[in-house]
């Protein structure tokens, strides 16, 4: 019973600290971001066709892998793995990546898909 909290609690008033100065954006990062953004836009525009064509090619490589499994020098398993990994990476790139200008517009509009 010795811990008595005084009411109303006293608030400590601190002086406002100016925010740190922002560094200017790196030109190389900005250029690379723009190039990746342009690649993303082209990929998403072609994605409606590519998402039907690429799985057919990956499935063909799967069948080829099964057919040539015991053939020395064919490397069909590694070829299928490379096609599948490429398709998975492309799918991830289209689904989850957002260019810098799109992230900024979502942040300005209060979007929920904002990187902070």
């Amino acid at each position: 019973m010795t811990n008595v909290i005084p009411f109303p609690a006293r608030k400590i008033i601190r002086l406002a600290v100016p925010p740190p100065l922002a560094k200017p954006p790196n030109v190389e990062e900005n250029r690379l971001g723009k190039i990746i953004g342009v690649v993303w836009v082209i990929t998403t525009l072609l994605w409606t066709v590519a998402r039907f064509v690429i799985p057919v090619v990956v499935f063909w490589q799967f069948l080829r892998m099964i057919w040539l499994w015991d053939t020395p020098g064919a490397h069909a398993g590694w070829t299928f793995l490379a096609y599948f990994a490429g398709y998975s990476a492309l799918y991830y790139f289209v689904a989850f990546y957002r260019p810098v200008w799109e992230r900024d517009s979502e942040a300005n509009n209060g979007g929920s898909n904002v990187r902070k």
Side-chain angles (χ1 to χ4, degrees):
M1 300 293 295
T2 60
N3 294 337
V4 179
I5 301 172
F7 185 81
R10 297 180 187 165
K11 294 183 180 179
I12 299 173
I13 300 173
R14 298 180 188 216
L15 298 175
V17 179
L21 298 175
K23 294 187 334 185
N26 191 353
V27 176
E28 292 298 325
E29 290 178 6
N30 196 6
R31 187 177 302 149
L32 182 63
K34 286 182 181 179
I35 292 171
I36 293 174
V38 168
V39 170
W40 182 81
V41 167
I42 293 170
T43 307
T44 39
L45 290 175
L46 297 175
W47 186 242
T48 55
V49 175
R51 71 178 172 175
F52 293 110
V53 174
I54 297 174
V56 171
V57 174
V58 172
F59 182 67
W60 172 255
Q61 290 297 326
F62 176 73
L63 294 177
R64 184 176 171 267
M65 176 191 67
I66 292 174
W67 186 262
L68 298 175
W69 187 257
D70 288 335
T71 306
H75 305 293
W78 292 111
T79 305
F80 166 72
L81 184 64
Y83 273 83
F84 185 75
Y87 177 62
S88 300
L90 187 66
Y91 198 91
Y92 181 81
F93 179 65
V94 170
F96 296 112
Y97 180 77
R98 294 288 176 256
V100 174
W101 62 83
E102 194 169 310
R103 279 184 258 148
D104 292 342
S105 67
E106 287 179 358
N108 292 338
N109 295 331
S112 60
N113 195 15
V114 179
R115 293 183 187 168
K116 296 180 181 178

